[in-house]
Each structure stands twice: as structure tokens, then as C-alpha cells.
């Protein structure tokens, strides 16, 4: 269960949610990944997911590549999250199977994108919604940090307990600026509901325009980041 949950949220969030130590969650995630890799067999993936995990607190990373169609990891390695480490995956997969990749889903980390574009140029690159929303959650955190209420603020409203929803209502009522930031965060998720890029683009431009006069500098920086990476986000509207 813990391993599967770690594919949907950060280790820190899972540890908080389940009341476990960070290192315990990390150990369980690693065990889950090794079991999945042992079951994977010889991969020939058409759609891959690329992510990094921290193997200990700090900045020690390894790269995990998953077969999104089979729903399991197929490669775990590298020394960090550099271009050289990312290239090791494609070396391992080989040129023939690399040519079979049609879609690569990843966060906006430039080394992943650069190596994938060079080694698998036929693959469409799609930026992962979870990571994009995490960036927006971090922007909300910068707008206002209220001790003891960070999890309540960063969670989607439908994921909160009744008590959590009550706490959220009190928090937002006490701070108009925070309320505006929270509503903007919640509304941004609608971007992925559009099936045509033109409509998605119009939504984003309207969302960005709504930041005017709001004094939400972290949100403005987030919008600039979305602008820079638009092609990989708009790919959601271009089914393969």
C-alpha cells in the first residue's frame, strides 16, 4: 500500500498522512520498487514515466523509469538526476526498443527533457500534472505559511476530512489574500479538463490575467514557468 501511494504523492506527505517516519516510508517504497522491477521482465515500452527519488534526506537522487502501460517500474539507476545518469537508461534499453517509445511523461527537469529529446526524438514529451501542481502548492506555501496548517492548505478540498474542511474555512476567512491564492490554486487544475489546446491556452491566459493586482509574486513566477514549458503541458490536449 505504501509503495503504491508513493507513486501518487511525496514521501513527506505519505509519512504525514500515515503517521510514519520519513525513513520508514522510503524503505517501504524501495522494497516495492525492487519487487516491481523483478516482475517487469524484458521491457519494450511505448509510454514511459521518468521521475527521481531521494534515497536519503538531502540531495542524493536516483532515477526511476516506469512502463506506464504496464503500470510498473522497469529501470532504477544513475548516480544523480543529471543528463549522464538519464542517458544510462537509454543505453540499457538499447536503440531498437528506444525507437518504440511514443510518449515520455516527466517533470520539468531540463536534463530529463534534453536527453529524451536527443535519444528518443520520436517520443512526445508530456509534463506530469502532479509535479506541476506541486510547484503551485509550493507557491501557495510561499504566499503564506501558517504553522500547523500547511497540510490543510496544500491538500485538495475534496481530500480533506470534515475537521480539515472546517479548519480550512477558518483559515481562509481570516486572510483574504490567502483565500484568493487558495481559490486560484484549486481552479488551475481545470487546465487538464480541456481536450483542445486552444481552449486550454485561453483558460491559462485568463487564469494568468486574474493575478493582476493580487500581489501574489510566487504565483506570477509559477505562471512564467508554465509559459516556458507550455508545449509539454499542452501535449495533454494532443492524444497520440
Amino acid at each position: 500500500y505504501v509503495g503504491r501511494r508513493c507513486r501518487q504523492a511525496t514521501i513527506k506527505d505519505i509519512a504525514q498522512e500515515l503517521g510514519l517516519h520519513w525513513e520508514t516510508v522510503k524503505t517501504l517504497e524501495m522494497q516495492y520498487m525492487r519487487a516491481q522491477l523483478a516482475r517487469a521482465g524484458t521491457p519494450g515500452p511505448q509510454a514511459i514515466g521518468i521521475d527521481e527519488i531521494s534515497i536519503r534526506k538531502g540531495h542524493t537522487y536516483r532515477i526511476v523509469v516506469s512502463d506506464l502501460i504496464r503500470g510498473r517500474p522497469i529501470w532504477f539507476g544513475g548516480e544523480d538526476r543529471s543528463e549522464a545518469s538519464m542517458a544510462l537508461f537509454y543505453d540499457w534499453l538499447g536503440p531498437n526498443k528506444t525507437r518504440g517509445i511514443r510518449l515520455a511523461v516527466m517533470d520539468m527537469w531540463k536534463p530529463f527533457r534534453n536527453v529524451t529529446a536527443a535519444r528518443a526524438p520520436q517520443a512526445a514529451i508530456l509534463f506530469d500534472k502532479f509535479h506541476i501542481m506541486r510547484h503551485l502548492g509550493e507557491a501557495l506555501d510561499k504566499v503564506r505559511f501558517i504553522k500547523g496548517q500547511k497540510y490543510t492548505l496544500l491538500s485538495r478540498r475534496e481530500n480533506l476530512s470534515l475537521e480539515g474542511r472546517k479548519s480550512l474555512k477558518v483559515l481562509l476567512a481570516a486572510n483574504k489574500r490567502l483565500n484568493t491564492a487558495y481559490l486560484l490554486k484549486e481552479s488551475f487544475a481545470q487546465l487538464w479538463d480541456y481536450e483542445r489546446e486552444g481552449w486550454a491556452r485561453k483558460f491559462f491566459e485568463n487564469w494568468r490575467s486574474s493575478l493582476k493586482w493580487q500581489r501574489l509574486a510566487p504565483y506570477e513566477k509559477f505562471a512564467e514557468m508554465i509559459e516556458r514549458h507550455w508545449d509539454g503541458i499542452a501535449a495533454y490536449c494532443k492524444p497520440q
Side-chain angles (χ1 to χ4, degrees):
Y1 173 78
V2 174
R4 291 195 301 273
R5 287 288 290 117
C6 285
R7 296 170 64 179
Q8 302 169 339
T10 66
I11 291 175
K12 184 177 180 180
D13 286 344
I14 298 302
Q16 185 173 10
E17 175 187 327
L18 300 178
L20 298 173
H21 191 276
W22 188 94
E23 293 289 352
T24 301
V25 176
K26 169 54 64 179
T27 299
L28 292 172
E29 182 195 32
M30 296 290 287
Q31 291 174 356
Y32 172 79
M33 287 176 53
R34 290 191 183 100
Q36 291 294 302
L37 287 170
R39 295 171 51 198
T42 303
Q46 294 183 349
I48 61 172
I50 304 171
D51 201 358
E52 78 274 354
I53 63 169
S54 173
I55 60 174
R56 61 178 62 91
K57 284 192 174 181
H59 299 283
T60 304
Y61 295 97
R62 296 293 182 269
I63 299 173
V64 181
V65 181
S66 299
D67 183 329
L68 297 180
I69 294 176
R70 298 174 71 187
R72 61 183 62 174
I74 58 174
W75 188 82
F76 171 71
E79 296 298 325
D80 47 30
R81 51 180 182 164
S82 65
E83 291 189 8
S85 287
M86 186 71 250
L88 292 176
F89 163 71
Y90 293 105
D91 292 342
W92 170 80
L93 189 63
N96 290 335
K97 290 182 178 178
T98 294
R99 282 194 290 270
I101 299 173
R102 293 291 173 262
L103 176 68
V105 181
M106 63 188 72
D107 64 16
M108 291 176 284
W109 185 242
K110 192 174 181 179
F112 294 172
R113 183 171 76 250
N114 287 348
V115 175
T116 299
R119 301 291 291 270
Q122 78 287 346
I125 293 177
L126 181 67
F127 295 133
D128 179 55
K129 175 184 176 180
F130 168 75
H131 286 91
I132 294 169
M133 292 303 294
R134 187 173 68 184
H135 281 288
L136 185 52
E138 291 169 355
L140 174 62
D141 190 31
K142 291 176 182 176
V143 170
R144 175 68 173 169
F145 179 77
I146 299 178
K147 187 175 181 181
Q149 297 293 344
K150 181 178 179 181
Y151 180 76
T152 297
L153 284 173
L154 299 187
S155 297
R156 295 295 304 275
R157 188 177 187 278
E158 60 265 28
N159 295 333
L160 293 173
S161 64
L162 179 60
E163 182 178 350
R165 292 185 184 189
K166 289 180 179 178
S167 296
L168 177 63
K169 185 177 181 179
V170 172
L171 281 173
L172 299 183
N175 190 318
K176 183 178 179 180
R177 182 163 168 261
L178 183 61
N179 181 61
T180 299
Y182 182 80
L183 293 176
L184 284 167
K185 170 183 170 288
E186 290 290 286
S187 68
F188 189 81
Q190 296 175 37
L191 178 68
W192 287 275
D193 293 339
Y194 294 98
E195 297 181 356
R196 296 191 179 187
E197 182 181 355
W199 287 106
R201 182 69 198 185
K202 184 175 181 62
F203 169 83
F204 170 63
E205 290 175 353
N206 288 339
W207 187 89
R208 191 174 188 178
S209 295
S210 69
L211 299 179
K212 191 174 182 180
W213 311 118
Q214 298 296 339
R215 297 181 297 115
L216 298 172
Y219 276 44
E220 292 170 4
K221 290 181 179 179
F222 171 80
E224 291 170 359
M225 180 188 71
I226 295 299
E227 184 69 58
R228 292 194 303 271
H229 297 87
W230 179 256
D231 287 347
I233 297 169
Y236 271 92
C237 305
K238 303 172 184 176
Q240 300 299 308

PDB file of all heavy atoms in Angstrom, residues 105 126-130 132 192 194-195 231-239:
ATOM      1  N   VAL A 105       6.540  10.793 -20.118  1.00  0.00           N
ATOM      2  CA  VAL A 105       5.943  11.692 -19.127  1.00  0.00           C
ATOM      3  C   VAL A 105       6.974  11.963 -18.044  1.00  0.00           C
ATOM      4  O   VAL A 105       7.593  11.031 -17.514  1.00  0.00           O
ATOM      5  CB  VAL A 105       4.676  11.064 -18.507  1.00  0.00           C
ATOM      6  CG1 VAL A 105       4.052  12.011 -17.487  1.00  0.00           C
ATOM      7  CG2 VAL A 105       3.670  10.714 -19.599  1.00  0.00           C
ATOM      8  N   LEU A 126       5.589  14.889 -22.323  1.00  0.00           N
ATOM      9  CA  LEU A 126       4.437  15.395 -21.578  1.00  0.00           C
ATOM     10  C   LEU A 126       4.868  15.663 -20.141  1.00  0.00           C
ATOM     11  O   LEU A 126       5.447  14.792 -19.492  1.00  0.00           O
ATOM     12  CB  LEU A 126       3.320  14.348 -21.610  1.00  0.00           C
ATOM     13  CG  LEU A 126       2.006  14.674 -20.925  1.00  0.00           C
ATOM     14  CD1 LEU A 126       1.305  15.812 -21.653  1.00  0.00           C
ATOM     15  CD2 LEU A 126       1.102  13.451 -20.911  1.00  0.00           C
ATOM     16  N   PHE A 127       4.603  16.870 -19.662  1.00  0.00           N
ATOM     17  CA  PHE A 127       4.974  17.210 -18.289  1.00  0.00           C
ATOM     18  C   PHE A 127       3.888  16.746 -17.325  1.00  0.00           C
ATOM     19  O   PHE A 127       2.702  16.996 -17.533  1.00  0.00           O
ATOM     20  CB  PHE A 127       5.230  18.706 -18.145  1.00  0.00           C
ATOM     21  CG  PHE A 127       6.423  19.183 -18.931  1.00  0.00           C
ATOM     22  CD1 PHE A 127       6.354  20.313 -19.719  1.00  0.00           C
ATOM     23  CD2 PHE A 127       7.609  18.472 -18.900  1.00  0.00           C
ATOM     24  CE1 PHE A 127       7.450  20.744 -20.448  1.00  0.00           C
ATOM     25  CE2 PHE A 127       8.711  18.884 -19.619  1.00  0.00           C
ATOM     26  CZ  PHE A 127       8.625  20.024 -20.398  1.00  0.00           C
ATOM     27  N   ASP A 128       4.312  16.087 -16.278  1.00  0.00           N
ATOM     28  CA  ASP A 128       3.418  15.430 -15.335  1.00  0.00           C
ATOM     29  C   ASP A 128       2.587  16.430 -14.525  1.00  0.00           C
ATOM     30  O   ASP A 128       3.117  17.357 -13.925  1.00  0.00           O
ATOM     31  CB  ASP A 128       4.258  14.557 -14.399  1.00  0.00           C
ATOM     32  CG  ASP A 128       3.423  13.852 -13.362  1.00  0.00           C
ATOM     33  OD1 ASP A 128       2.486  13.149 -13.752  1.00  0.00           O
ATOM     34  OD2 ASP A 128       3.722  13.998 -12.167  1.00  0.00           O
ATOM     35  N   LYS A 129       1.285  16.214 -14.515  1.00  0.00           N
ATOM     36  CA  LYS A 129       0.363  17.106 -13.806  1.00  0.00           C
ATOM     37  C   LYS A 129       0.684  17.185 -12.317  1.00  0.00           C
ATOM     38  O   LYS A 129       0.645  18.263 -11.718  1.00  0.00           O
ATOM     39  CB  LYS A 129      -1.073  16.613 -14.004  1.00  0.00           C
ATOM     40  CG  LYS A 129      -2.113  17.386 -13.204  1.00  0.00           C
ATOM     41  CD  LYS A 129      -3.498  16.783 -13.385  1.00  0.00           C
ATOM     42  CE  LYS A 129      -4.522  17.486 -12.508  1.00  0.00           C
ATOM     43  NZ  LYS A 129      -5.876  16.910 -12.664  1.00  0.00           N
ATOM     44  N   PHE A 130       1.019  16.048 -11.704  1.00  0.00           N
ATOM     45  CA  PHE A 130       1.285  16.027 -10.271  1.00  0.00           C
ATOM     46  C   PHE A 130       2.426  16.976  -9.910  1.00  0.00           C
ATOM     47  O   PHE A 130       2.354  17.737  -8.941  1.00  0.00           O
ATOM     48  CB  PHE A 130       1.622  14.606  -9.823  1.00  0.00           C
ATOM     49  CG  PHE A 130       2.183  14.513  -8.433  1.00  0.00           C
ATOM     50  CD1 PHE A 130       1.366  14.649  -7.326  1.00  0.00           C
ATOM     51  CD2 PHE A 130       3.541  14.302  -8.218  1.00  0.00           C
ATOM     52  CE1 PHE A 130       1.875  14.583  -6.046  1.00  0.00           C
ATOM     53  CE2 PHE A 130       4.066  14.231  -6.950  1.00  0.00           C
ATOM     54  CZ  PHE A 130       3.228  14.363  -5.853  1.00  0.00           C
ATOM     55  N   ILE A 132       3.517  19.545 -11.675  1.00  0.00           N
ATOM     56  CA  ILE A 132       3.141  20.932 -11.933  1.00  0.00           C
ATOM     57  C   ILE A 132       2.313  21.474 -10.771  1.00  0.00           C
ATOM     58  O   ILE A 132       2.556  22.589 -10.272  1.00  0.00           O
ATOM     59  CB  ILE A 132       2.355  21.032 -13.248  1.00  0.00           C
ATOM     60  CG1 ILE A 132       3.279  20.677 -14.427  1.00  0.00           C
ATOM     61  CG2 ILE A 132       1.780  22.437 -13.432  1.00  0.00           C
ATOM     62  CD1 ILE A 132       2.551  20.495 -15.734  1.00  0.00           C
ATOM     63  N   TRP A 192      -6.383  20.748 -17.145  1.00  0.00           N
ATOM     64  CA  TRP A 192      -6.269  19.421 -17.738  1.00  0.00           C
ATOM     65  C   TRP A 192      -7.623  18.839 -18.166  1.00  0.00           C
ATOM     66  O   TRP A 192      -7.682  17.723 -18.652  1.00  0.00           O
ATOM     67  CB  TRP A 192      -5.564  18.494 -16.767  1.00  0.00           C
ATOM     68  CG  TRP A 192      -4.102  18.805 -16.687  1.00  0.00           C
ATOM     69  CD1 TRP A 192      -3.105  18.351 -17.498  1.00  0.00           C
ATOM     70  CD2 TRP A 192      -3.465  19.679 -15.746  1.00  0.00           C
ATOM     71  NE1 TRP A 192      -1.890  18.883 -17.125  1.00  0.00           N
ATOM     72  CE2 TRP A 192      -2.087  19.704 -16.050  1.00  0.00           C
ATOM     73  CE3 TRP A 192      -3.925  20.453 -14.684  1.00  0.00           C
ATOM     74  CZ2 TRP A 192      -1.162  20.450 -15.331  1.00  0.00           C
ATOM     75  CZ3 TRP A 192      -3.015  21.212 -13.960  1.00  0.00           C
ATOM     76  CH2 TRP A 192      -1.644  21.201 -14.288  1.00  0.00           C
ATOM     77  N   TYR A 194      -9.426  20.281 -20.505  1.00  0.00           N
ATOM     78  CA  TYR A 194      -9.670  20.680 -21.890  1.00  0.00           C
ATOM     79  C   TYR A 194      -9.052  19.677 -22.867  1.00  0.00           C
ATOM     80  O   TYR A 194      -7.922  19.233 -22.692  1.00  0.00           O
ATOM     81  CB  TYR A 194      -9.102  22.080 -22.148  1.00  0.00           C
ATOM     82  CG  TYR A 194      -9.818  23.144 -21.359  1.00  0.00           C
ATOM     83  CD1 TYR A 194      -9.296  23.630 -20.156  1.00  0.00           C
ATOM     84  CD2 TYR A 194     -11.044  23.648 -21.792  1.00  0.00           C
ATOM     85  CE1 TYR A 194      -9.969  24.591 -19.422  1.00  0.00           C
ATOM     86  CE2 TYR A 194     -11.720  24.606 -21.066  1.00  0.00           C
ATOM     87  CZ  TYR A 194     -11.185  25.076 -19.876  1.00  0.00           C
ATOM     88  OH  TYR A 194     -11.854  26.012 -19.144  1.00  0.00           O
ATOM     89  N   GLU A 195      -9.801  19.356 -23.895  1.00  0.00           N
ATOM     90  CA  GLU A 195      -9.346  18.397 -24.899  1.00  0.00           C
ATOM     91  C   GLU A 195      -8.750  19.073 -26.124  1.00  0.00           C
ATOM     92  O   GLU A 195      -8.203  18.401 -27.005  1.00  0.00           O
ATOM     93  CB  GLU A 195     -10.510  17.492 -25.326  1.00  0.00           C
ATOM     94  CG  GLU A 195     -11.047  16.640 -24.170  1.00  0.00           C
ATOM     95  CD  GLU A 195     -12.173  15.736 -24.595  1.00  0.00           C
ATOM     96  OE1 GLU A 195     -12.592  15.824 -25.780  1.00  0.00           O
ATOM     97  OE2 GLU A 195     -12.645  14.946 -23.756  1.00  0.00           O
ATOM     98  N   ASP A 231       4.607  23.772 -24.234  1.00  0.00           N
ATOM     99  CA  ASP A 231       4.477  22.675 -25.199  1.00  0.00           C
ATOM    100  C   ASP A 231       4.293  21.329 -24.507  1.00  0.00           C
ATOM    101  O   ASP A 231       3.488  20.493 -24.940  1.00  0.00           O
ATOM    102  CB  ASP A 231       5.700  22.616 -26.115  1.00  0.00           C
ATOM    103  CG  ASP A 231       5.710  23.753 -27.134  1.00  0.00           C
ATOM    104  OD1 ASP A 231       4.669  24.417 -27.283  1.00  0.00           O
ATOM    105  OD2 ASP A 231       6.757  23.973 -27.764  1.00  0.00           O
ATOM    106  N   GLY A 232       5.060  21.108 -23.428  1.00  0.00           N
ATOM    107  CA  GLY A 232       4.974  19.840 -22.717  1.00  0.00           C
ATOM    108  C   GLY A 232       3.712  19.708 -21.882  1.00  0.00           C
ATOM    109  O   GLY A 232       3.344  18.605 -21.482  1.00  0.00           O
ATOM    110  N   ILE A 233       3.060  20.826 -21.603  1.00  0.00           N
ATOM    111  CA  ILE A 233       1.798  20.811 -20.860  1.00  0.00           C
ATOM    112  C   ILE A 233       0.631  20.656 -21.835  1.00  0.00           C
ATOM    113  O   ILE A 233      -0.299  19.883 -21.613  1.00  0.00           O
ATOM    114  CB  ILE A 233       1.647  22.100 -20.023  1.00  0.00           C
ATOM    115  CG1 ILE A 233       2.761  22.162 -18.975  1.00  0.00           C
ATOM    116  CG2 ILE A 233       0.276  22.170 -19.361  1.00  0.00           C
ATOM    117  CD1 ILE A 233       2.872  23.492 -18.261  1.00  0.00           C
ATOM    118  N   ALA A 234       0.706  21.374 -22.943  1.00  0.00           N
ATOM    119  CA  ALA A 234      -0.360  21.322 -23.947  1.00  0.00           C
ATOM    120  C   ALA A 234      -0.451  19.943 -24.592  1.00  0.00           C
ATOM    121  O   ALA A 234      -1.478  19.624 -25.207  1.00  0.00           O
ATOM    122  CB  ALA A 234      -0.127  22.395 -25.009  1.00  0.00           C
ATOM    123  N   ALA A 235       0.589  19.141 -24.454  1.00  0.00           N
ATOM    124  CA  ALA A 235       0.564  17.789 -25.042  1.00  0.00           C
ATOM    125  C   ALA A 235      -0.590  16.959 -24.487  1.00  0.00           C
ATOM    126  O   ALA A 235      -1.014  15.990 -25.118  1.00  0.00           O
ATOM    127  CB  ALA A 235       1.894  17.088 -24.784  1.00  0.00           C
ATOM    128  N   TYR A 236      -1.131  17.330 -23.327  1.00  0.00           N
ATOM    129  CA  TYR A 236      -2.303  16.638 -22.786  1.00  0.00           C
ATOM    130  C   TYR A 236      -3.491  16.739 -23.736  1.00  0.00           C
ATOM    131  O   TYR A 236      -4.374  15.897 -23.741  1.00  0.00           O
ATOM    132  CB  TYR A 236      -2.704  17.231 -21.433  1.00  0.00           C
ATOM    133  CG  TYR A 236      -2.021  16.597 -20.248  1.00  0.00           C
ATOM    134  CD1 TYR A 236      -0.840  17.111 -19.744  1.00  0.00           C
ATOM    135  CD2 TYR A 236      -2.561  15.474 -19.628  1.00  0.00           C
ATOM    136  CE1 TYR A 236      -0.209  16.527 -18.651  1.00  0.00           C
ATOM    137  CE2 TYR A 236      -1.940  14.889 -18.542  1.00  0.00           C
ATOM    138  CZ  TYR A 236      -0.768  15.421 -18.050  1.00  0.00           C
ATOM    139  OH  TYR A 236      -0.142  14.839 -16.980  1.00  0.00           O
ATOM    140  N   CYS A 237      -3.520  17.818 -24.511  1.00  0.00           N
ATOM    141  CA  CYS A 237      -4.630  18.049 -25.428  1.00  0.00           C
ATOM    142  C   CYS A 237      -4.386  17.425 -26.798  1.00  0.00           C
ATOM    143  O   CYS A 237      -5.162  17.644 -27.715  1.00  0.00           O
ATOM    144  CB  CYS A 237      -4.862  19.552 -25.592  1.00  0.00           C
ATOM    145  SG  CYS A 237      -5.112  20.438 -24.040  1.00  0.00           S
ATOM    146  N   LYS A 238      -3.294  16.685 -26.934  1.00  0.00           N
ATOM    147  CA  LYS A 238      -2.943  16.099 -28.223  1.00  0.00           C
ATOM    148  C   LYS A 238      -2.744  14.594 -28.056  1.00  0.00           C
ATOM    149  O   LYS A 238      -1.614  14.110 -28.017  1.00  0.00           O
ATOM    150  CB  LYS A 238      -1.649  16.720 -28.763  1.00  0.00           C
ATOM    151  CG  LYS A 238      -1.705  18.234 -28.915  1.00  0.00           C
ATOM    152  CD  LYS A 238      -0.340  18.790 -29.268  1.00  0.00           C
ATOM    153  CE  LYS A 238      -0.341  20.306 -29.332  1.00  0.00           C
ATOM    154  NZ  LYS A 238       1.001  20.862 -29.586  1.00  0.00           N
ATOM    155  N   PRO A 239      -3.819  13.844 -27.888  1.00  0.00           N
ATOM    156  CA  PRO A 239      -3.688  12.399 -27.688  1.00  0.00           C
ATOM    157  C   PRO A 239      -2.972  11.741 -28.866  1.00  0.00           C
ATOM    158  O   PRO A 239      -3.201  12.070 -30.021  1.00  0.00           O
ATOM    159  CB  PRO A 239      -5.153  11.916 -27.583  1.00  0.00           C
ATOM    160  CG  PRO A 239      -5.940  12.981 -28.256  1.00  0.00           C
ATOM    161  CD  PRO A 239      -5.228  14.266 -27.995  1.00  0.00           C
TER     162      PRO A 239
END
